[in-house]
Amino acid sequence: SAMPETFASNVRIHDSEFTSCAAHLRDDNSLGAITLGALDGVEIYNLTMDESATTGQCIKGVFGWLRDLQIHDCEFTVGTYGAQNGCVIELWNFSDDSSIHHNVFNHGFVSLVSGYRGEGTRAMSFHHNELYETLSNEFSSDHIEVAHNEFFGSSIADDRSIACWNCIAVWPTWGYT
């Protein structure tokens, strides 16, 4: 998707609980209990999101375009169903020193794809998080920093804690080189 011409700005989502809010969205892999897009200056904090009783997903920003996104001090839980776990957070096209920090992730996986620096020093910093039984967390972006996280176990045999792949192959399809 092309970068939008306008962005909503200064959005805050905080001090809330979400329980089984996204089960009906599972067939549309671009939606979650919270779906984000075309936002500048977003802060999400002090949330408890529990999709463990369903096949729902917590936060999705598949089309993305998220500048200066801050997600912190939250607890996210998704269900485990067979050999597939749900997506806890999936974000595309993030920029301008976005950060995900001081969160707890239970099951599922984190997918951070195709960020760019924008006006910042990096696209994303993913730090000081605890990840319990998550699998193949994707950190597939230029200018991303992953540091000071703790990974605990995996519920799937032969799985990895981190999966990195080259997002450069994706950028030209959106007009970036």
Side-chain angles (χ1 to χ4, degrees):
S1 71
M3 183 184 296
E5 293 183 22
T6 60
F7 289 76
S9 61
N10 300 315
V11 175
R12 304 287 176 265
I13 302 171
H14 60 91
D15 297 299
S16 299
E17 293 185 23
F18 297 78
T19 305
S20 299
C21 293
H24 63 289
L25 302 173
R26 183 62 182 173
D27 290 337
D28 185 339
N29 214 19
S30 66
L31 302 174
I34 296 175
T35 301
L36 305 172
L39 300 172
D40 185 0
V42 181
E43 185 177 19
I44 297 173
Y45 61 96
N46 293 336
L47 300 186
T48 301
M49 300 188 78
D50 186 351
E51 292 293 326
S52 63
T54 73
T55 57
Q57 303 175 80
C58 293
I59 296 179
K60 299 286 274 195
V62 172
F63 303 108
W65 301 110
L66 306 167
R67 297 176 179 159
D68 186 24
L69 169 68
Q70 307 299 314
I71 300 175
H72 61 89
D73 300 297
C74 298
E75 182 168 359
F76 302 102
T77 304
V78 295
T80 57
Y81 21 93
Q84 182 75 289
N85 281 349
C87 186
V88 183
I89 292 179
E90 181 177 13
L91 303 174
W92 288 64
N93 302 316
F94 45 84
S95 68
D96 297 274
D97 294 321
S98 291
S99 180
I100 298 174
H101 61 91
H102 295 94
N103 299 292
V104 175
F105 298 94
N106 299 299
H107 309 293
F109 64 98
V110 174
S111 179
L112 304 176
V113 181
S114 294
Y116 61 101
R117 266 195 306 214
E119 300 294 320
T121 57
R122 66 179 52 89
M124 172 72 73
S125 178
F126 186 88
H127 63 92
H128 294 93
N129 296 292
E130 296 176 14
L131 296 94
Y132 295 91
E133 294 190 10
T134 62
L135 64 148
S136 292
N137 297 288
E138 295 177 315
F139 301 106
S140 302
S141 172
D142 296 326
H143 308 291
I144 191 168
E145 176 184 46
V146 179
H148 307 289
N149 298 290
E150 295 183 67
F151 296 85
F152 299 95
S154 173
S155 58
I156 308 286
D158 291 330
D159 199 60
R160 291 116 190 106
S161 293
I162 295 177
C164 294
W165 48 274
N166 185 350
C167 66
I168 297 302
V170 174
W171 279 106
T173 63
W174 294 331
Y176 292 92
T177 57

